[in-house]
PDB file of all heavy atoms in Angstrom:
ATOM      1  N   PHE A 399      36.667 -43.156 -43.195  1.00 92.00           N
ATOM      2  CA  PHE A 399      35.601 -42.541 -44.012  1.00 92.00           C
ATOM      3  C   PHE A 399      34.245 -42.556 -43.273  1.00 92.00           C
ATOM      4  O   PHE A 399      33.555 -41.565 -43.227  1.00 92.00           O
ATOM      5  CB  PHE A 399      35.368 -43.251 -45.336  1.00 92.00           C
ATOM      6  CG  PHE A 399      34.340 -42.597 -46.266  1.00 92.00           C
ATOM      7  CD1 PHE A 399      34.734 -41.620 -47.097  1.00 92.00           C
ATOM      8  CD2 PHE A 399      33.032 -43.022 -46.207  1.00 92.00           C
ATOM      9  CE1 PHE A 399      33.763 -40.982 -47.890  1.00 92.00           C
ATOM     10  CE2 PHE A 399      32.034 -42.474 -47.042  1.00 92.00           C
ATOM     11  CZ  PHE A 399      32.437 -41.406 -47.925  1.00 92.00           C
ATOM     12  N   GLY A 400      33.898 -43.736 -42.680  1.00 91.00           N
ATOM     13  CA  GLY A 400      32.624 -43.819 -41.923  1.00 91.00           C
ATOM     14  C   GLY A 400      32.554 -42.841 -40.741  1.00 91.00           C
ATOM     15  O   GLY A 400      31.556 -42.127 -40.651  1.00 91.00           O
ATOM     16  N   PHE A 401      33.591 -42.834 -39.918  1.00 91.00           N
ATOM     17  CA  PHE A 401      33.574 -41.915 -38.816  1.00 91.00           C
ATOM     18  C   PHE A 401      33.833 -40.456 -39.212  1.00 91.00           C
ATOM     19  O   PHE A 401      33.443 -39.591 -38.549  1.00 91.00           O
ATOM     20  CB  PHE A 401      34.573 -42.361 -37.769  1.00 91.00           C
ATOM     21  CG  PHE A 401      34.115 -43.565 -36.936  1.00 91.00           C
ATOM     22  CD1 PHE A 401      34.950 -44.689 -36.835  1.00 91.00           C
ATOM     23  CD2 PHE A 401      32.864 -43.635 -36.375  1.00 91.00           C
ATOM     24  CE1 PHE A 401      34.570 -45.729 -36.073  1.00 91.00           C
ATOM     25  CE2 PHE A 401      32.490 -44.715 -35.633  1.00 91.00           C
ATOM     26  CZ  PHE A 401      33.374 -45.821 -35.483  1.00 91.00           C
ATOM     27  N   GLY A 402      34.465 -40.261 -40.362  1.00 90.00           N
ATOM     28  CA  GLY A 402      34.700 -38.960 -40.877  1.00 90.00           C
ATOM     29  C   GLY A 402      33.363 -38.247 -41.168  1.00 90.00           C
ATOM     30  O   GLY A 402      33.313 -37.040 -41.043  1.00 90.00           O
ATOM     31  N   LEU A 403      32.396 -38.979 -41.532  1.00 92.00           N
ATOM     32  CA  LEU A 403      31.048 -38.415 -41.792  1.00 92.00           C
ATOM     33  C   LEU A 403      30.546 -37.774 -40.463  1.00 92.00           C
ATOM     34  O   LEU A 403      29.965 -36.711 -40.504  1.00 92.00           O
ATOM     35  CB  LEU A 403      30.104 -39.407 -42.301  1.00 92.00           C
ATOM     36  CG  LEU A 403      30.427 -40.041 -43.631  1.00 92.00           C
ATOM     37  CD1 LEU A 403      29.491 -41.216 -43.971  1.00 92.00           C
ATOM     38  CD2 LEU A 403      30.393 -38.977 -44.712  1.00 92.00           C
ATOM     39  N   LEU A 404      30.734 -38.468 -39.379  1.00 89.00           N
ATOM     40  CA  LEU A 404      30.311 -37.903 -38.079  1.00 89.00           C
ATOM     41  C   LEU A 404      31.130 -36.725 -37.720  1.00 89.00           C
ATOM     42  O   LEU A 404      30.597 -35.679 -37.150  1.00 89.00           O
ATOM     43  CB  LEU A 404      30.498 -39.004 -37.013  1.00 89.00           C
ATOM     44  CG  LEU A 404      29.347 -40.099 -36.988  1.00 89.00           C
ATOM     45  CD1 LEU A 404      29.782 -41.274 -36.099  1.00 89.00           C
ATOM     46  CD2 LEU A 404      28.038 -39.480 -36.569  1.00 89.00           C
ATOM     47  N   HIS A 405      32.465 -36.714 -37.858  1.00 88.00           N
ATOM     48  CA  HIS A 405      33.253 -35.619 -37.459  1.00 88.00           C
ATOM     49  C   HIS A 405      32.936 -34.386 -38.285  1.00 88.00           C
ATOM     50  O   HIS A 405      33.016 -33.243 -37.813  1.00 88.00           O
ATOM     51  CB  HIS A 405      34.735 -35.999 -37.604  1.00 88.00           C
ATOM     52  CG  HIS A 405      35.253 -36.902 -36.515  1.00 88.00           C
ATOM     53  ND1 HIS A 405      36.086 -36.486 -35.531  1.00 88.00           N
ATOM     54  CD2 HIS A 405      35.020 -38.241 -36.280  1.00 88.00           C
ATOM     55  CE1 HIS A 405      36.332 -37.431 -34.653  1.00 88.00           C
ATOM     56  NE2 HIS A 405      35.686 -38.555 -35.074  1.00 88.00           N
ATOM     57  N   GLY A 406      32.520 -34.602 -39.564  1.00 89.00           N
ATOM     58  CA  GLY A 406      32.082 -33.453 -40.381  1.00 89.00           C
ATOM     59  C   GLY A 406      30.898 -32.717 -39.717  1.00 89.00           C
ATOM     60  O   GLY A 406      30.857 -31.527 -39.835  1.00 89.00           O
ATOM     61  N   LEU A 407      29.986 -33.468 -39.127  1.00 88.00           N
ATOM     62  CA  LEU A 407      28.890 -32.919 -38.437  1.00 88.00           C
ATOM     63  C   LEU A 407      29.329 -32.056 -37.263  1.00 88.00           C
ATOM     64  O   LEU A 407      28.733 -31.007 -36.979  1.00 88.00           O
ATOM     65  CB  LEU A 407      27.840 -33.957 -38.006  1.00 88.00           C
ATOM     66  CG  LEU A 407      27.201 -34.724 -39.088  1.00 88.00           C
ATOM     67  CD1 LEU A 407      26.313 -35.852 -38.509  1.00 88.00           C
ATOM     68  CD2 LEU A 407      26.328 -33.810 -39.926  1.00 88.00           C
ATOM     69  N   GLY A 408      30.423 -32.503 -36.656  1.00 84.00           N
ATOM     70  CA  GLY A 408      31.010 -31.778 -35.512  1.00 84.00           C
ATOM     71  C   GLY A 408      31.576 -30.503 -36.024  1.00 84.00           C
ATOM     72  O   GLY A 408      31.414 -29.438 -35.383  1.00 84.00           O
ATOM     73  N   PHE A 409      32.295 -30.525 -37.099  1.00 83.00           N
ATOM     74  CA  PHE A 409      32.823 -29.326 -37.744  1.00 83.00           C
ATOM     75  C   PHE A 409      31.704 -28.359 -38.150  1.00 83.00           C
ATOM     76  O   PHE A 409      31.873 -27.146 -37.894  1.00 83.00           O
ATOM     77  CB  PHE A 409      33.689 -29.633 -38.971  1.00 83.00           C
ATOM     78  CG  PHE A 409      34.937 -30.479 -38.691  1.00 83.00           C
ATOM     79  CD1 PHE A 409      35.338 -31.372 -39.564  1.00 83.00           C
ATOM     80  CD2 PHE A 409      35.677 -30.278 -37.494  1.00 83.00           C
ATOM     81  CE1 PHE A 409      36.448 -32.185 -39.406  1.00 83.00           C
ATOM     82  CE2 PHE A 409      36.727 -31.072 -37.230  1.00 83.00           C
ATOM     83  CZ  PHE A 409      37.173 -31.974 -38.196  1.00 83.00           C
ATOM     84  N   ALA A 410      30.640 -28.873 -38.665  1.00 84.00           N
ATOM     85  CA  ALA A 410      29.537 -28.034 -39.064  1.00 84.00           C
ATOM     86  C   ALA A 410      28.925 -27.354 -37.879  1.00 84.00           C
ATOM     87  O   ALA A 410      28.491 -26.123 -38.011  1.00 84.00           O
ATOM     88  CB  ALA A 410      28.489 -28.793 -39.804  1.00 84.00           C
ATOM     89  N   GLY A 411      28.845 -28.003 -36.741  1.00 79.00           N
ATOM     90  CA  GLY A 411      28.338 -27.410 -35.570  1.00 79.00           C
ATOM     91  C   GLY A 411      29.078 -26.150 -35.107  1.00 79.00           C
ATOM     92  O   GLY A 411      28.493 -25.127 -34.753  1.00 79.00           O
TER      93      GLY A 411
END
Side-chain angles (χ1 to χ4, degrees):
F399 183 87
F401 285 130
L403 296 173
L404 283 170
H405 284 252
L407 295 175
F409 296 146

